[in-house]
Amino acid sequence: MNIFLVGEAATHAEKLASRLTCGAAIVPLPREAAHAADHDGRIGPHDVVVSLRFSRPPGATPAFRLLHVPGAGLDGIDMSSVPPGATVCNVFEHEIPIAEYVTLAMLEWQIRLRDLAARFTPRSWSDLYRSRPPHAELYGKTLLLIGLGRIGRAIATRARAFGMRVLAVDGYAQPPAGLVDRVFAPHELGEALPAAEFVVICCPLTEDTRGMFHAGTLARMRRDAVLINVSRAEIARERDLYEALRDKVIAGAILDVWYRYPKGADDDVEPASLPFLDLPNVIATPHTSAWTVDLPWRRYGLIAANIDRLARGEALSNVVRPPGR
Amino acid sequence: MNIFLVGEAATHAEKLASRLTCGAAIVPLPREAAHAADHDGRIGPHDVVVSLRFSRPPGATPAFRLLHVPGAGLDGIDMSSVPPGATVCNVFEHEIPIAEYVTLAMLEWQIRLRDLAARFTPRSWSDLYRSRPPHAELYGKTLLLIGLGRIGRAIATRARAFGMRVLAVDGYAQPPAGLVDRVFAPHELGEALPAAEFVVICCPLTEDTRGMFHAGTLARMRRDAVLINVSRAEIARERDLYEALRDKVIAGAILDVWYRYPKGADDDVEPASLPFLDLPNVIATPHTSAWTVDLPWRRYGLIAANIDRLARGEALSNVVRPPGR
């Protein structure tokens, strides 16, 4: 059995090798092998392809056993190109760093550790100690999760440990007992919003969620509320969100996702058409909430475990499309 | 029944009044009333005194029913001055903000939210997005708590929700099942230290803990470890800690407590004799970890509940010295 790592996946060959026990050969392929058939002569019916992207022209699909996507999203995979006998698996694990980022964002909003540190000098100490302005707590505050999938649940688990009240808006979720205080249906968003000091967007971007946060919904939020977006920028209408922040309709935002992304190595765009980064009540980060050293190690560890299962003839985990569709 | 609020406690009269149901009168007394008998003529045998400090010359103690300390520490109370028939109660609740501060400190150390935000501009966006350097996670890391009292347990509860391994050094603690992975005896400190990425000092300062972190114990820590001190500075020897940080014996420290405090309104001291605040691997805050808007509300709410119990003849909570000692 050979394991072909395509494009970016090839940079993680050592991680996969360090966790793999079955002894299969690991073969890097260039980025182009995701969409072009030039290397297909090397891929055999017992082999594994690890790639974020995969497509082939009709009828040009090579036979292989497993396409393992090294991420959660399947938007790079053309399922009709995957051979009928192959299994497709994905991996998650990004809910862990995203939940850590969101908890940090809420804590930093309340405590302002870095502002405290910036004001603290040997000369300012005595006066600062005497006049210490108190900060805020998470304890007892209300968190509203827009979306209660893997990411929402990971955030809820942590928020619970801080004594927060946790609400969610989700049309499908059946959360484990005790994880959230109440799940609202999507049409009840307007009822849920006024309750929360923190509103976290952690649902997928769909035609239902695009523009879900507009002037009307933003006005339903508390004036001291903070919006945190770790999903996709377009779930909040750009101009409406900017104006709500500028005009203090809501207290602030912590934004990790943006309206414009560079498309290639030379593309130079701004993250939004409006100056969000100039607003003093916005903490902005460059789409890094899930971007950790640990994440690819965890993901390639799971991929190695799945390939070892395949080698032993055991059932695979994280199957998104079984063979013989 | 009258409730006398002494000194700083008098600034919280409205908080107490808003939660009290028994209708007792709330009377502010000046700071001096903690130690001087000038106002004792107003205090009767059915009354309550709320004060962080209390002493009287021998034989000059007025009779009252309850001394409620609006904090955890009893170092301001001369127990021999408290009338034998009076109960002494205290309040905690600071474990909540301190645990939030410690979790924020660990998360910020791993993720560097504010550094990410500072580097993110409309011009830097495209390059920053393409080259995003990954950050670290709390998940799977090891936390060592020095002290497993109320504060240590509150930190452990939160760390657990992040998937951290939690160890503790404590000579007495019998923690609830599942809260920590292992409790080491104090003489096992040297064995526990090499395991932890984060070491949090949250034990009281005693003759046993003074100087517990010296050059020898600091050298037992991992080189990538971070020391967090929310207890008392003197638990770490000043010069040894400074040199360990300067020489990268440990990776860094987050310090909220200091070696020198101003003694009065005009006293001007530096927080330490060595320039900790100049070290790039130190995040320093001015003893603010417990200093929240919410804390006095929660504490005076508990004091009000206790006074209402007293008025109804019910058993009090948080009794540190029962009457009739």
Side-chain angles (χ1 to χ4, degrees):
Chain A
M1 187 203 299
N2 290 320
I3 305 167
F4 294 93
L5 303 185
V6 179
E8 194 268 347
T11 66
H12 302 287
E14 282 185 37
K15 299 182 183 74
L16 185 67
S18 74
R19 306 293 174 86
L20 199 69
T21 62
C22 71
I26 297 172
V27 185
L29 289 181
R31 187 183 162 87
E32 299 72 42
H35 305 296
D38 307 14
H39 301 271
D40 286 356
R42 304 171 66 183
I43 302 175
H46 297 288
D47 292 343
V48 175
V49 174
V50 179
S51 181
L52 284 167
R53 291 171 201 81
F54 191 84
S55 73
R56 287 291 180 275
T61 293
F64 52 81
R65 279 179 77 186
L66 171 63
L67 172 62
H68 214 311
V69 182
L74 301 169
D75 42 311
I77 308 298
D78 172 25
M79 284 291 179
S80 70
S81 293
V82 180
T87 305
V88 180
C89 294
N90 69 348
V91 285
F92 296 92
E93 301 295 313
H94 59 302
E95 66 273 16
I96 292 172
I98 293 176
E100 294 192 2
Y101 173 98
V102 168
T103 315
L104 169 57
M106 293 192 293
L107 284 166
E108 175 62 16
W109 188 268
Q110 298 294 75
I111 300 178
R112 307 279 165 167
L113 182 73
R114 294 296 198 141
D115 295 342
L116 285 168
R119 292 167 54 201
F120 185 22
T121 67
R123 302 303 302 264
S124 72
W125 161 237
S126 296
D127 284 338
L128 204 52
Y129 179 69
R130 281 187 287 260
S131 66
R132 291 176 292 179
H135 57 259
E137 297 176 357
L138 282 190
Y139 181 84
K141 305 300 187 298
T142 298
L143 166 66
L144 174 62
L145 298 165
I146 309 299
L148 196 58
R150 282 171 190 267
I151 296 170
R153 288 169 198 218
I155 298 167
T157 301
R158 289 154 180 81
R160 273 290 188 222
F162 285 89
M164 297 186 83
R165 188 162 71 112
V166 182
L167 310 176
V169 171
D170 195 298
Y172 309 96
Q174 303 278 344
L179 187 66
V180 297
D181 292 280
R182 182 171 168 191
V183 181
F184 293 81
H187 73 270
E188 297 172 308
L189 175 66
E191 185 187 338
L193 283 171
E197 278 98 351
F198 294 94
V199 177
V200 178
I201 301 176
C202 48
C203 59
L205 175 64
T206 66
E207 284 320 301
D208 288 335
T209 63
R210 184 182 298 274
M212 187 183 198
F213 283 81
H214 51 71
T217 41
L218 290 163
R220 295 285 296 164
M221 290 174 64
R222 296 167 55 121
R223 288 189 83 90
D224 63 354
V226 177
L227 185 69
I228 301 174
N229 195 350
V230 288
S231 173
R232 290 292 178 264
E234 294 78 7
I235 295 171
R237 275 191 209 158
E238 182 176 353
R239 178 163 297 277
D240 290 8
L241 177 58
Y242 178 80
E243 289 176 356
L245 290 164
R246 183 196 62 194
D247 302 341
K248 310 284 171 60
V249 174
I250 63 174
I254 296 149
L255 303 173
D256 189 47
V257 289
W258 297 97
Y259 296 94
R260 297 171 181 173
Y261 285 78
K263 291 204 172 62
D266 296 319
D267 194 21
D268 206 5
V269 297
E270 297 201 349
S273 62
L274 294 164
F276 282 91
L277 305 195
D278 293 341
L279 293 170
N281 54 346
V282 169
I283 299 177
T285 53
H287 206 135
T288 48
S289 65
W291 204 252
T292 63
V293 177
D294 310 76
L295 180 63
W297 280 100
R298 220 165 31 245
R299 285 182 163 174
Y300 279 89
L302 290 171
I303 292 170
N306 240 359
I307 295 173
D308 284 337
R309 285 190 197 98
L310 184 74
R312 292 192 302 264
E314 296 172 10
L316 303 184
S317 72
N318 288 20
V319 173
V320 290
R321 199 207 69 178
R325 52 170 171 161
Chain B
M1 188 204 298
N2 290 319
I3 304 167
F4 293 94
L5 302 185
V6 179
E8 193 267 349
T11 66
H12 301 287
E14 281 184 38
K15 298 181 183 76
L16 185 68
S18 74
R19 305 294 175 87
L20 199 69
T21 62
C22 72
I26 296 172
V27 184
L29 289 181
R31 187 182 162 88
E32 299 73 39
H35 304 297
D38 308 13
H39 299 272
D40 286 355
R42 302 171 65 183
I43 302 175
H46 298 288
D47 291 344
V48 174
V49 175
V50 178
S51 181
L52 285 167
R53 293 171 199 83
F54 192 82
S55 73
R56 288 291 181 274
T61 292
F64 53 80
R65 280 180 77 185
L66 171 64
L67 173 62
H68 214 309
V69 182
L74 301 169
D75 43 309
I77 309 297
D78 172 26
M79 284 291 180
S80 69
S81 293
V82 180
T87 304
V88 179
C89 293
N90 69 349
V91 284
F92 297 93
E93 301 296 313
H94 58 303
E95 66 273 16
I96 292 171
I98 292 175
E100 295 192 1
Y101 173 98
V102 168
T103 315
L104 169 57
M106 293 192 294
L107 284 166
E108 175 62 16
W109 188 269
Q110 299 294 76
I111 300 178
R112 306 278 166 167
L113 182 72
R114 294 295 201 143
D115 295 343
L116 285 168
R119 293 167 54 201
F120 185 22
T121 67
R123 301 305 301 266
S124 72
W125 161 236
S126 296
D127 284 338
L128 204 52
Y129 179 70
R130 279 187 288 259
S131 66
R132 290 176 295 179
H135 58 260
E137 296 177 357
L138 282 190
Y139 181 85
K141 304 299 188 299
T142 298
L143 167 66
L144 174 62
L145 298 165
I146 309 299
L148 197 57
R150 283 171 189 268
I151 295 169
R153 288 169 198 218
I155 297 168
T157 301
R158 288 155 181 80
R160 273 289 188 224
F162 285 89
M164 297 186 83
R165 188 163 71 113
V166 183
L167 311 176
V169 170
D170 195 298
Y172 308 97
Q174 303 278 345
L179 187 65
V180 297
D181 293 279
R182 180 171 169 192
V183 181
F184 293 82
H187 73 269
E188 297 172 310
L189 175 66
E191 185 186 338
L193 284 171
E197 278 97 351
F198 294 94
V199 177
V200 179
I201 301 177
C202 49
C203 59
L205 175 65
T206 65
E207 284 320 301
D208 288 336
T209 63
R210 184 182 297 273
M212 186 183 198
F213 283 81
H214 51 72
T217 41
L218 290 162
R220 295 283 297 163
M221 289 173 64
R222 296 165 56 118
R223 288 188 85 89
D224 63 353
V226 177
L227 185 69
I228 301 174
N229 195 349
V230 289
S231 172
R232 291 291 178 265
E234 294 79 7
I235 295 172
R237 276 191 209 157
E238 183 175 352
R239 180 164 295 278
D240 290 8
L241 177 59
Y242 177 80
E243 289 176 357
L245 289 164
R246 184 196 62 194
D247 302 340
K248 309 284 171 63
V249 173
I250 64 174
I254 296 149
L255 303 173
D256 189 47
V257 290
W258 298 96
Y259 295 95
R260 298 170 179 174
Y261 284 78
K263 291 204 172 58
D266 296 322
D267 194 22
D268 206 4
V269 297
E270 295 200 351
S273 62
L274 294 164
F276 283 90
L277 305 196
D278 293 342
L279 293 170
N281 54 347
V282 169
I283 299 176
T285 53
H287 205 136
T288 47
S289 66
W291 204 253
T292 62
V293 176
D294 310 74
L295 180 62
W297 280 100
R298 216 162 39 239
R299 286 182 163 175
Y300 280 89
L302 291 171
I303 293 170
N306 240 358
I307 295 172
D308 284 337
R309 287 189 196 98
L310 185 74
R312 292 191 302 263
E314 296 172 10
L316 303 183
S317 71
N318 288 22
V319 173
V320 289
R321 200 207 69 179
R325 48 168 176 164

